[in-house]
């Protein structure tokens, strides 16, 4: 095929470029910080504290720009699931040209000794639903969580963002740990189901400390667009107990525990 122009997706239009009418003009490092939330309670905390708010609509998604802790931010509620969250993250990268993405939410604890309300910093994220173990390309086989052709499996947190989060001094009663998070499209609700996960997928992935339904989709997009990324997860349920009852009862507590850490990270960025 001849005579084909290649143009970057437009963020701003540079009319001085005659060779490409929709040429992307890259922003500098002072772009906004993206804050992505999977729960309405977390968005409500941001709406209370972000100043100079302006709303932007893209399809069913609403993005709000403004300032928090003296930094330009854009935040959005993504809803549940990797597809919605990846779409929101892509818009943050392509339209708002965020310089990094901070993703807050809740997760279910998988390890003994965890407590509801604990905060987990995702050192790495993996998609436990990505299963191409039966896909063989010549001598090449694939591990659980690995994407063919690119070989991506574990998505590491940005080291500077993670270090900032780890330096936070939490208030009394709030515990913070760091570990591997696993994402999938199943709400794992019972102790029996969590122990079964730990014995099968969990063991194959290196024993994740918590499971949730969004992170890997966002982490994958951030890697594709070379955007620094960090996930903060508050435990809304733990290994023992009823995840449905605990989630509904403690979701607001999880949001309350997460927001001070978000503010701390923004002050350091």
């Amino acid at each position: 095929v001849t005579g084909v122009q290649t143009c970057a997706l437009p963020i701003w239009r540079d009319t001085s470029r005659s060779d490409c009418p929709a040429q992307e003009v890259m922003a500098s490092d002072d772009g906004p910080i993206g804050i992505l939330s999977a729960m309405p309670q977390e968005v409500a905390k941001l709406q209370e504290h972000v100043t100079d708010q302006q709303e932007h609509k893209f399809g069913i998604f609403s993005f709000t720009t403004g300032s928090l802790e003296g930094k330009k931010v854009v935040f959005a509620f993504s809803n549940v699931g990797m597809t919605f969250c990846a779409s929101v993250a892509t818009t943050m990268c392509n339209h708002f040209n965020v310089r990094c993405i901070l993703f807050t939410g809740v997760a279910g604890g998988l390890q003994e000794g965890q407590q509801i309300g604990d905060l987990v910093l995702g050192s790495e994220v993996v998609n436990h639903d990505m299963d191409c173990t039966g896909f063989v390309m010549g001598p090449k086989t694939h591990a659980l969580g690995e994407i063919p052709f690119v070989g991506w499996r574990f998505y590491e947190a940005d080291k500077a963002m993670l270090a900032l989060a780890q330096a936070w001094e939490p208030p009394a009663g709030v515990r913070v740990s760091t570990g591997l998070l696993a994402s999938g499209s199943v709400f794992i609700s019972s102790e029996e189901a969590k122990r079964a996960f730990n014995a099968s997928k969990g063991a194959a992935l290196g024993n994740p400390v918590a499971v949730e339904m969004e992170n890997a989709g966002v982490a994958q997009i951030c890697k594709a667009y070379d955007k620094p990324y960090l996930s903060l997860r508050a435990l809304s349920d733990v290994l023992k107990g009823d995840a449905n009852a605990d989630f509904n009862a403690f979701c607001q507590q999880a949001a309350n525990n997460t927001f001070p850490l978000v503010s701390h990270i923004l002050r350091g960025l």
Side-chain angles (χ1 to χ4, degrees):
V1 178
T2 60
V4 176
Q5 283 187 320
T6 301
C7 298
L9 290 172
I11 295 177
W12 298 277
R13 294 183 181 271
D14 182 1
T15 57
S16 68
R17 288 288 303 275
S18 59
D19 59 322
C20 186
Q23 176 68 27
E24 179 182 350
V25 180
M26 296 303 293
S28 63
D29 290 339
D30 66 350
I33 297 166
I35 307 174
L36 182 57
S37 300
M39 301 304 301
Q41 292 89 338
E42 293 166 321
V43 171
K45 297 292 288 186
L46 291 167
Q47 289 170 334
E48 290 175 17
H49 293 88
V50 172
T51 60
D52 305 317
Q53 294 184 28
Q54 290 188 334
E55 188 176 21
H56 313 260
K57 295 285 290 186
F58 292 85
I60 68 167
F61 303 111
S62 177
F63 298 79
T64 303
T65 54
S67 297
L68 182 62
E69 298 293 345
K71 306 294 172 63
K72 293 187 296 184
V73 298
V74 54
F75 66 88
F77 165 58
S78 61
N79 212 315
V80 175
M82 284 187 276
T83 303
F84 273 156
C85 291
S87 179
V88 170
T90 301
T91 302
M92 283 187 169
C93 292
N94 280 339
H95 183 81
F96 295 98
N97 203 11
V98 293
R99 57 187 174 106
C100 61
I101 290 182
L102 182 61
F103 190 12
T104 69
V106 296
L110 293 173
Q111 305 300 323
E112 298 281 0
Q114 294 174 319
Q115 297 177 8
I116 290 173
D118 285 356
L119 299 182
V120 179
L121 313 176
S123 57
E124 291 181 303
V125 180
V126 64
N127 181 352
H128 69 75
D129 275 346
M130 175 56 65
D131 188 348
C132 289
T133 54
F135 180 30
V136 179
M137 299 186 299
K140 170 64 178 174
T141 59
H142 299 89
L144 180 66
E146 181 182 0
I147 301 177
F149 306 111
V150 294
W152 297 351
R153 189 185 185 201
F154 295 103
Y155 303 93
E156 294 185 3
D158 177 73
K159 289 180 172 56
M161 295 176 72
L162 180 59
L164 263 176
Q166 290 173 325
W168 179 59
E169 295 185 9
V174 177
R175 306 191 309 175
V176 182
S177 63
T178 302
L180 171 65
L181 301 174
S183 307
S185 296
V186 177
F187 185 78
I188 304 177
S189 59
S190 67
E191 179 182 353
E192 179 183 8
K194 288 181 179 179
R195 291 193 182 277
F197 177 89
N198 285 342
S200 55
K201 287 185 173 182
L205 293 170
N207 300 313
V209 298
V211 65
E212 42 74 56
M213 302 179 68
E214 293 87 22
N215 257 299
V218 176
Q220 184 177 329
I221 292 298
C222 287
K223 184 176 178 66
Y225 285 97
D226 195 25
K227 300 289 185 180
Y229 171 76
L230 178 65
S231 171
L232 313 178
R233 282 295 183 267
L235 298 186
S236 59
D237 54 276
V238 290
L239 184 62
K240 297 178 180 178
D242 183 335
N244 281 297
D246 292 341
F247 178 89
N248 291 318
F250 293 100
C251 199
Q252 185 60 56
Q253 177 189 334
N256 292 341
N257 287 355
T258 303
F259 182 77
L261 177 52
V262 171
S263 297
H264 166 81
I265 294 171
L266 260 65
R267 287 192 294 270
L269 288 174

